[in-house]
Coordinates of all heavy atoms in Angstrom, one line a residue:
I1 N 89.8 97.0 92.0 CA 89.1 98.2 92.6 C 89.1 98.0 94.1 O 89.3 99.0 94.9 CB 87.7 98.3 92.0 CG1 87.8 98.8 90.6 CG2 86.9 99.3 92.8 CD1 86.5 98.8 89.8
V2 N 88.7 96.8 94.6 CA 88.7 96.6 96.1 C 90.0 96.8 96.7 O 90.2 97.4 97.8 CB 88.1 95.2 96.4 CG1 88.2 94.9 97.8 CG2 86.7 95.1 95.9
A3 N 91.1 96.3 96.0 CA 92.4 96.4 96.5 C 92.8 97.9 96.6 O 93.4 98.3 97.6 CB 93.4 95.7 95.6
E4 N 92.6 98.6 95.6 CA 92.9 100.1 95.6 C 92.1 100.8 96.6 O 92.6 101.7 97.3 CB 92.7 100.7 94.2 CG 93.8 100.3 93.2 CD 95.1 100.8 93.5 OE1 95.3 102.0 93.9 OE2 96.1 100.0 93.5
F5 N 90.8 100.4 96.7 CA 90.0 101.1 97.7 C 90.5 100.9 99.2 O 90.7 101.8 99.9 CB 88.5 100.6 97.6 CG 87.5 101.3 98.5 CD1 86.7 102.3 98.0 CD2 87.4 100.9 99.8 CE1 85.8 102.9 98.8 CE2 86.5 101.5 100.7 CZ 85.7 102.5 100.2
G6 N 90.7 99.6 99.5 CA 91.2 99.3 100.8 C 92.6 99.9 101.1 O 92.8 100.4 102.2
F7 N 93.5 99.8 100.1 CA 94.8 100.4 100.3 C 94.7 101.9 100.5 O 95.3 102.4 101.4 CB 95.6 100.1 99.0 CG 97.1 100.5 99.2 CD1 98.0 99.7 99.9 CD2 97.5 101.7 98.6 CE1 99.3 100.1 100.0 CE2 98.8 102.1 98.7 CZ 99.7 101.3 99.4
S8 N 94.0 102.6 99.7 CA 93.9 104.1 99.8 C 93.2 104.5 101.1 O 93.7 105.4 101.8 CB 93.0 104.6 98.6 OG 93.6 104.4 97.4
F9 N 92.2 103.8 101.5 CA 91.5 104.1 102.8 C 92.5 103.9 104.0 O 92.7 104.9 104.8 CB 90.4 103.1 103.0 CG 89.6 103.4 104.3 CD1 88.5 104.2 104.3 CD2 90.0 102.7 105.5 CE1 87.8 104.4 105.5 CE2 89.3 103.0 106.6 CZ 88.2 103.8 106.6
S10 N 93.2 102.8 104.0 CA 94.1 102.5 105.2 C 95.3 103.4 105.2 O 95.8 103.8 106.2 CB 94.4 101.0 105.2 OG 95.0 100.6 104.0
V11 N 95.9 103.7 104.0 CA 97.1 104.5 104.0 C 96.7 105.9 104.4 O 97.5 106.6 105.1 CB 97.7 104.5 102.5 CG1 98.7 105.6 102.4 CG2 98.3 103.1 102.3
L12 N 95.6 106.4 104.0 CA 95.2 107.8 104.4 C 95.0 107.9 105.9 O 95.4 108.8 106.6 CB 94.0 108.3 103.7 CG 94.2 109.2 102.5 CD1 94.8 110.5 102.9 CD2 95.2 108.5 101.5
V13 N 94.3 106.9 106.5 CA 94.2 106.9 107.9 C 95.5 106.8 108.6 O 95.8 107.6 109.6 CB 93.3 105.7 108.4 CG1 93.3 105.5 109.9 CG2 91.9 105.8 107.8
Y14 N 96.4 106.0 108.1 CA 97.8 105.9 108.7 C 98.5 107.2 108.6 O 99.2 107.6 109.5 CB 98.5 104.7 108.0 CG 99.9 104.5 108.4 CD1 100.2 103.8 109.5 CD2 101.0 105.1 107.7 CE1 101.6 103.6 109.9 CE2 102.3 104.9 108.0 CZ 102.6 104.1 109.1 OH 103.9 103.9 109.5
N15 N 98.5 107.7 107.4 CA 99.3 108.9 107.1 C 98.8 110.1 107.9 O 99.6 110.8 108.5 CB 99.3 109.3 105.6 CG 100.2 108.4 104.8 OD1 101.0 107.8 105.3 ND2 100.0 108.5 103.5
I16 N 97.5 110.4 108.0 CA 97.0 111.5 108.8 C 97.4 111.3 110.2 O 97.8 112.2 110.9 CB 95.5 111.6 108.6 CG1 95.2 112.0 107.2 CG2 95.0 112.6 109.6 CD1 93.7 112.0 106.9
A17 N 97.3 110.1 110.7 CA 97.6 109.8 112.1 C 99.0 110.0 112.5 O 99.4 110.8 113.4 CB 97.2 108.4 112.5
Q18 N 99.9 109.4 111.7 CA 101.3 109.5 112.1 C 102.0 110.8 111.7 O 102.9 111.3 112.4 CB 102.1 108.3 111.6 CG 102.1 108.1 110.1 CD 103.3 108.7 109.4 OE1 104.2 109.2 110.1 NE2 103.4 108.6 108.1
V19 N 101.6 111.4 110.6 CA 102.2 112.7 110.2 C 101.8 113.8 111.2 O 102.7 114.6 111.6 CB 101.8 113.1 108.8 CG1 102.1 114.6 108.5 CG2 102.5 112.3 107.8
S20 N 100.5 113.9 111.6 CA 100.1 114.9 112.6 C 100.8 114.7 113.9 O 101.2 115.7 114.6 CB 98.6 114.8 112.7 OG 97.9 115.1 111.5
F21 N 101.0 113.4 114.3 CA 101.7 113.2 115.6 C 103.1 113.7 115.5 O 103.6 114.4 116.4 CB 101.7 111.7 115.8 CG 102.6 111.2 116.9 CD1 102.5 111.7 118.2 CD2 103.7 110.4 116.6 CE1 103.3 111.3 119.2 CE2 104.5 110.0 117.6 CZ 104.4 110.5 118.9
R22 N 103.8 113.4 114.4 CA 105.2 113.9 114.2 C 105.3 115.4 114.2 O 106.1 116.0 114.9 CB 105.8 113.3 112.9 CG 106.2 111.9 112.9 CD 106.3 111.3 111.5 NE 106.8 112.2 110.5 CZ 106.6 112.1 109.2 NH1 106.0 111.0 108.8 NH2 107.1 113.0 108.4
Q23 N 104.3 116.1 113.6 CA 104.4 117.5 113.5 C 104.1 118.1 114.9 O 104.6 119.1 115.3 CB 103.3 118.0 112.5 CG 103.6 117.7 111.1 CD 102.5 118.0 110.2 OE1 101.3 118.1 110.6 NE2 102.7 118.2 108.9
R24 N 103.3 117.4 115.7 CA 102.9 117.9 117.0 C 104.0 117.8 118.0 O 104.1 118.7 118.9 CB 101.7 117.1 117.5 CG 100.9 117.7 118.7 CD 99.7 116.9 119.0 NE 100.1 115.6 119.7 CZ 99.2 114.6 119.9 NH1 97.9 114.7 119.4 NH2 99.5 113.5 120.5
V25 N 104.8 116.8 117.9 CA 105.8 116.5 119.0 C 107.2 117.1 118.6 O 108.1 117.1 119.4 CB 106.0 115.0 119.3 CG1 104.6 114.5 119.8 CG2 106.4 114.2 118.1
T26 N 107.4 117.5 117.3 CA 108.7 117.9 116.9 C 108.9 119.4 117.1 O 108.0 120.2 116.7 CB 108.9 117.6 115.4 OG1 108.8 116.2 115.2 CG2 110.3 118.0 115.0
P27 N 110.0 119.9 117.7 CA 110.3 121.3 117.9 C 110.3 122.0 116.5 O 110.8 121.4 115.5 CB 111.6 121.4 118.6 CG 111.7 120.0 119.2 CD 111.0 119.1 118.4
H28 N 109.9 123.2 116.4 CA 109.8 123.9 115.1 C 111.1 124.0 114.4 O 111.2 123.8 113.2 CB 109.2 125.3 115.3 CG 107.7 125.3 115.3 ND1 107.0 126.5 115.1 CD2 106.8 124.4 115.6 CE1 105.7 126.2 115.2 NE2 105.6 124.9 115.5
H29 N 112.2 124.2 115.1 CA 113.5 124.3 114.5 C 114.0 123.0 113.9 O 115.0 123.0 113.2 CB 114.5 124.9 115.5 CG 115.0 123.9 116.5 ND1 114.2 123.7 117.7 CD2 116.1 123.2 116.6 CE1 114.9 122.8 118.4 NE2 116.0 122.5 117.8
L30 N 113.4 121.9 114.2 CA 113.8 120.6 113.7 C 112.8 120.0 112.7 O 113.0 118.9 112.2 CB 113.9 119.6 114.9 CG 115.2 119.7 115.7 CD1 115.1 118.7 116.9 CD2 116.4 119.3 114.9
L31 N 111.7 120.7 112.4 CA 110.7 120.2 111.5 C 111.2 119.7 110.2 O 110.9 118.6 109.7 CB 109.6 121.2 111.3 CG 108.5 121.3 112.5 CD1 107.7 122.5 112.3 CD2 107.7 120.0 112.5
G32 N 112.0 120.6 109.5 CA 112.5 120.3 108.2 C 113.4 119.1 108.3 O 113.3 118.1 107.4
R33 N 114.3 119.0 109.3 CA 115.3 117.9 109.3 C 114.6 116.6 109.8 O 114.9 115.5 109.4 CB 116.4 118.3 110.3 CG 117.4 119.2 109.6 CD 118.4 119.8 110.7 NE 117.7 120.8 111.5 CZ 118.3 121.3 112.6 NH1 119.5 120.9 113.0 NH2 117.7 122.2 113.3
M34 N 113.6 116.7 110.7 CA 112.8 115.5 111.0 C 112.1 114.9 109.8 O 112.2 113.7 109.5 CB 111.8 115.9 112.1 CG 110.8 114.7 112.5 SD 109.4 114.5 111.5 CE 108.4 116.0 111.8
N35 N 111.4 115.8 109.1 CA 110.7 115.3 107.9 C 111.7 114.7 106.8 O 111.4 113.7 106.2 CB 109.8 116.4 107.3 CG 108.6 116.6 108.1 OD1 107.9 115.7 108.5 ND2 108.2 117.9 108.3
A36 N 112.8 115.4 106.6 CA 113.8 115.0 105.6 C 114.4 113.7 106.1 O 114.7 112.8 105.2 CB 114.8 116.1 105.4
S37 N 114.7 113.6 107.4 CA 115.3 112.3 107.9 C 114.4 111.1 107.6 O 114.9 110.1 107.2 CB 115.7 112.4 109.3 OG 116.6 113.5 109.6
I38 N 113.1 111.3 107.9 CA 112.2 110.2 107.7 C 112.0 110.0 106.2 O 112.0 108.8 105.8 CB 110.9 110.6 108.4 CG1 111.1 110.6 109.9 CG2 109.8 109.6 108.0 CD1 109.9 111.0 110.7
R39 N 111.9 111.0 105.4 CA 111.7 110.8 104.0 C 112.9 110.1 103.4 O 112.8 109.3 102.5 CB 111.5 112.2 103.3 CG 110.2 112.8 103.6 CD 109.1 112.3 102.6 NE 107.8 112.8 102.9 CZ 106.9 113.0 101.9 NH1 107.2 112.9 100.7 NH2 105.7 113.4 102.3
F40 N 114.1 110.5 103.9 CA 115.3 109.8 103.4 C 115.2 108.3 103.6 O 115.6 107.5 102.7 CB 116.5 110.3 104.2 CG 117.8 109.5 103.9 CD1 118.5 109.7 102.8 CD2 118.3 108.7 104.9 CE1 119.7 108.9 102.5 CE2 119.4 108.0 104.7 CZ 120.1 108.1 103.5
V41 N 114.7 107.9 104.7 CA 114.6 106.4 105.0 C 113.5 105.8 104.2 O 113.6 104.8 103.5 CB 114.5 106.2 106.5 CG1 114.3 104.7 106.8 CG2 115.7 106.7 107.3

C-alpha cells in the first residue's frame, strides 16, 4: 500500500508537470506528432 501510494503520488506530480510543459511549448500543428513521437519511445 505504501509503495503504491508513493508511486501514484510521485508519478502524478511528474506527469502533470511534464505533460503540461510539453503542451505549452509545442506548436499546435505538431501536437499530435510530438505526443506520438514521445509515446512511441
Side-chain angles (χ1 to χ4, degrees):
I1 289 174
V2 172
E4 286 296 314
F5 185 97
F7 185 80
S8 296
F9 181 93
S10 52
V11 166
L12 261 292
V13 172
Y14 176 84
N15 281 347
I16 293 172
Q18 59 94 4
V19 167
S20 297
F21 168 62
R22 283 161 35 197
Q23 291 170 340
R24 193 176 74 191
V25 299
T26 303
H28 278 200
H29 73 280
L30 280 173
L31 279 167
R33 281 169 288 169
M34 177 275 292
N35 284 318
S37 297
I38 292 176
R39 287 274 173 145
F40 169 75
V41 177

